[in-house]
Amino acid sequence: MVGLKPTDVPPTNGVKILGAGAAACVADLVTFPLDTTKVRLQIQGEYKSINNVTSPKYRGVFGTMVTIVKTEGARSLYNGLVAGLQRQMSFASVRIGLYDSVKHFYTNGSDAITIGSRLLAGCTTGALAVTMAQPTDVVKVRFQAQSNQTGVRKRYSGTINAYRKIAKEEGLPGLWKGTLPNIIRNSIVNCSELVTYDLIKEGLIKNNFMTDNLPCHFCAAFGAGFCTTIVASPVDVVKTRYMNSAPGQYGSALNCAFIMLTKEGFTAFYKGFMPSFLRLGSWNVVMFVTYEQMKRAMMLVKQSWE
């Protein structure tokens, strides 16, 4: 069983945009606990330095998940899920759904697609998606960072409350806090993720190692997830710390990175690496496999209606 076969007619832009958003939501539903775990591990050093805590609260991926479940309940692993799904529908639809179109735009429709045009397309759609979806990312990160322990006052009571409270206390710029590091991070992620997937998939098919089916999509997605984690982790940690910070805690994203480096050392930039890899690897596999199948399914339905 290798899933649906490619249709004779290439998927339309509308199919790609809708399919990318839906596939990203499916991937988020599957991997969200790992994302929450990653955020908690990334901000742990920050809380230690602020509260003068000597021993870390969270240890390792599964240890962190167990600690969260024991102290806050299993639902805490899905803190910020609503904002996360809102983010994916507005974010992935643009960065993934428009990637092929922008890639062909940079090559003027030529079949000879260079790595440079792929990288340009990844940077363009990544930056555009962040600019549009940044408020949903800020709310998602803050929900994932807040504790649900009894006796601990929650920062936000709900998604709508978070949007309103941030806008009221920090102004509209607060909803776009960390946009620059997020643009840098997502341009890097988009390039490494989509370009790596593109190249691995193309190489496997051209060299007759695999055909354009599920095993090929799985291998390409897993490779893309691994490469992306290595490249993007430092920017991801800074982005998470800065977006979750209280007003005035850091002067800028660069200031945040400098304080991390001086107080916690270079390894701080790779805090939460294992959950990042587990999350990105599994997220890429679920997303790309689902995306490929959704595009084909929607085109089959479209053709049957015509």
Side-chain angles (χ1 to χ4, degrees), residues 1-3 204 210-221 289:
M1 178 65 180
V2 292
L204 291 171
M210 292 180 174
T211 56
D212 191 2
N213 55 27
L214 269 173
C216 175
H217 304 156
F218 179 93
C219 292
V289 169

Side-chain angles (χ1 to χ4, degrees), residues 133-192:
Q134 183 68 5
T136 61
D137 205 11
V138 172
V139 171
K140 179 184 81 78
V141 166
R142 293 198 183 184
F143 259 103
Q144 288 177 311
Q146 78 175 5
S147 173
N148 278 348
Q149 288 179 271
T150 304
V152 176
R153 186 180 178 183
K154 290 185 181 180
R155 198 172 181 183
Y156 308 107
S157 60
T159 306
I160 302 300
N161 171 257
Y163 286 117
R164 288 175 176 171
K165 194 170 181 180
I166 293 170
K168 182 179 179 180
E169 294 180 354
E170 304 173 41
L172 285 178
L175 289 169
W176 270 268
K177 187 173 187 177
T179 298
L180 181 58
N182 211 12
I183 285 176
I184 296 170
R185 183 253 183 194
N186 278 290
S187 293
I188 293 171
V189 166
N190 223 33
C191 286
S192 55

Side-chain angles (χ1 to χ4, degrees), residues 17-293:
I17 291 170
L18 181 60
C25 285
V26 172
D28 251 25
L29 285 169
V30 174
T31 63
F32 209 81
L34 286 169
D35 196 29
T36 301
T37 301
K38 176 203 73 173
V39 169
R40 294 291 183 94
L41 285 168
Q42 286 176 338
I43 64 174
Q44 180 162 250
E46 179 179 60
Y47 287 155
K48 285 170 64 181
S49 62
I50 292 174
N51 300 319
N52 295 319
V53 178
T54 54
S55 59
K57 181 179 180 181
Y58 304 118
R59 294 179 183 275
V61 180
F62 298 106
T64 300
M65 293 178 76
V66 170
T67 299
I68 293 172
V69 171
K70 280 184 177 180
T71 58
E72 305 172 41
R75 290 182 62 183
S76 288
L77 292 172
Y78 283 90
N79 271 357
L81 178 62
V82 173
L85 296 179
Q86 290 171 350
R87 174 181 179 268
Q88 291 301 353
M89 281 308 299
S90 56
F91 182 69
S93 298
V94 174
R95 79 175 184 91
I96 299 170
L98 291 180
Y99 171 72
D100 284 336
S101 299
V102 175
K103 180 174 66 177
H104 288 295
F105 170 78
Y106 282 126
T107 57
N108 293 317
S110 172
D111 291 332
I113 303 172
T114 64
I115 292 180
S117 61
R118 297 176 204 258
L119 292 172
L120 274 173
C123 288
T124 301
T125 60
L128 181 61
V130 169
T131 304
M132 292 174 58
Q134 183 68 5
T136 61
D137 205 11
V138 172
V139 171
K140 179 184 81 78
V141 166
R142 293 198 183 184
F143 259 103
Q144 288 177 311
Q146 78 175 5
S147 173
N148 278 348
Q149 288 179 271
T150 304
V152 176
R153 186 180 178 183
K154 290 185 181 180
R155 198 172 181 183
Y156 308 107
S157 60
T159 306
I160 302 300
N161 171 257
Y163 286 117
R164 288 175 176 171
K165 194 170 181 180
I166 293 170
K168 182 179 179 180
E169 294 180 354
E170 304 173 41
L172 285 178
L175 289 169
W176 270 268
K177 187 173 187 177
T179 298
L180 181 58
N182 211 12
I183 285 176
I184 296 170
R185 183 253 183 194
N186 278 290
S187 293
I188 293 171
V189 166
N190 223 33
C191 286
S192 55
E193 194 174 82
L194 295 177
V195 174
T196 305
Y197 178 81
D198 227 4
L199 292 172
I200 294 175
K201 177 184 170 184
E202 191 176 282
L204 291 171
I205 295 170
K206 277 189 174 180
N207 292 289
N208 297 317
F209 291 119
M210 292 180 174
T211 56
D212 191 2
N213 55 27
L214 269 173
C216 175
H217 304 156
F218 179 93
C219 292
F222 188 82
F226 181 72
C227 293
T228 303
T229 309
I230 292 175
V231 173
S233 276
V235 184
D236 190 36
V237 175
V238 173
K239 179 212 78 167
T240 299
R241 291 275 187 99
Y242 186 63
M243 288 200 307
N244 185 60
S245 65
Q249 186 175 340
Y250 301 116
S252 64
L254 285 175
N255 174 248
C256 175
F258 179 75
I259 290 173
M260 282 175 56
L261 182 63
T262 53
K263 288 191 174 182
E264 302 171 53
F266 182 76
T267 55
F269 293 103
Y270 281 91
K271 280 184 179 290
F273 179 84
M274 187 52 67
S276 287
F277 171 60
L278 290 174
R279 192 256 174 183
L280 267 177
S282 55
W283 192 93
N284 272 271
V285 169
V286 175
M287 195 284 297
F288 278 115
V289 169
T290 305
Y291 180 44
E292 297 278 10
Q293 293 300 300

Side-chain angles (χ1 to χ4, degrees), residues 7-21:
T7 57
D8 295 330
V9 181
T12 63
N13 285 333
V15 165
K16 290 178 183 178
I17 291 170
L18 181 60

